[in-house]
Amino acid sequence: DKQHLARPGRVGGNLVNEYSLDVDFKIPALGSWYTFLQTDTTNTSDGELFINTSGKIGVGLTGYSDSAVVAGEWYRLVLSCNIGDSVGIYLDGKRVRIGGAQTVDGRLALQPRQGANKVILFGDNDGDDGVIDVANVMFYNRVLTNQEITDLGGYAHIPPSTEVTGAKKAVYF
């Protein structure tokens, strides 16, 4: 249903202020910045959602997660924007950061279809961010509920276990 993206967000304003972004990703190493979203379609300002050099997810506007991602592992990230109310960041179905109400039509808002109808994924204006491996990207034309985000699930992050077979070969799971 693209009707919601064809008109401004229901919280007022001229841009889309209610949406959810779902990204399956992994980063190759810590120590670089990684960008998920750039809503400035001219790409002349800073992006809206990052992994910082220590693996924490967020942006200065809403703060960064307490937990960090590990290089080389897959994750499912959900950004849930109800900009006039709150902005939530979820990793593998669990909320890792919640930001309070943001400015309607502000930094996190998307261009509607009757506008520029663009968003830049994985790009930032200064060009110094690392490359992200991506398996899936989905935009939802509404704010997903906590239960829907939990139901989307994610990836298991457990230490690998080994088992030695009868032939004395290690099997990794």
Side-chain angles (χ1 to χ4, degrees):
D1 174 359
K2 295 183 180 178
Q3 292 179 4
H4 180 68
L5 290 177
R7 66 182 190 277
R10 290 175 287 199
V11 295
N14 297 308
L15 303 179
V16 177
N17 293 289
E18 292 183 9
Y19 64 92
S20 297
L21 169 65
D22 174 356
V23 179
D24 289 359
F25 75 94
K26 74 175 175 174
I27 61 169
L30 293 176
S32 292
W33 286 83
Y34 299 94
T35 309
F36 288 102
L37 180 64
Q38 168 64 284
T39 60
D40 173 6
T41 59
T42 64
N43 199 23
T44 57
S45 63
D46 211 13
E48 276 61 63
L49 185 61
F50 298 94
I51 297 174
N52 68 16
T53 57
S54 60
K56 296 183 178 195
I57 300 173
V59 68
L61 183 69
T62 61
Y64 285 85
S65 62
D66 292 331
S67 57
V69 298
V70 174
E73 291 196 26
W74 284 98
Y75 293 90
R76 175 162 294 141
L77 170 79
V78 175
L79 172 67
S80 182
C81 288
N82 184 359
I83 294 175
D85 181 48
S86 65
V87 175
I89 300 172
Y90 299 79
L91 205 56
D92 293 327
K94 297 176 182 78
R95 187 172 70 199
V96 296
R97 186 74 190 154
I98 191 80
Q102 304 301 315
T103 304
V104 170
D105 286 354
R107 184 170 179 184
L108 288 164
L110 304 176
Q111 293 288 327
R113 279 189 11 149
Q114 69 267 26
N117 191 26
K118 294 179 185 177
V119 65
I120 299 171
L121 297 172
F122 317 111
D124 188 40
N125 67 320
D126 55 18
D128 66 352
D129 296 313
V131 175
I132 303 174
D133 290 327
V134 176
N136 179 57
V137 175
M138 294 187 62
F139 271 99
Y140 293 88
N141 61 359
R142 62 185 175 83
V143 178
L144 295 176
T145 67
N146 289 339
Q147 187 60 54
E148 288 171 324
I149 293 169
T150 298
D151 290 347
L152 284 174
Y155 296 86
H157 301 281
I158 55 175
S161 62
T162 61
E163 180 180 316
V164 178
T165 68
K168 303 292 184 206
K169 301 288 182 189
V171 179
Y172 295 90
F173 296 96

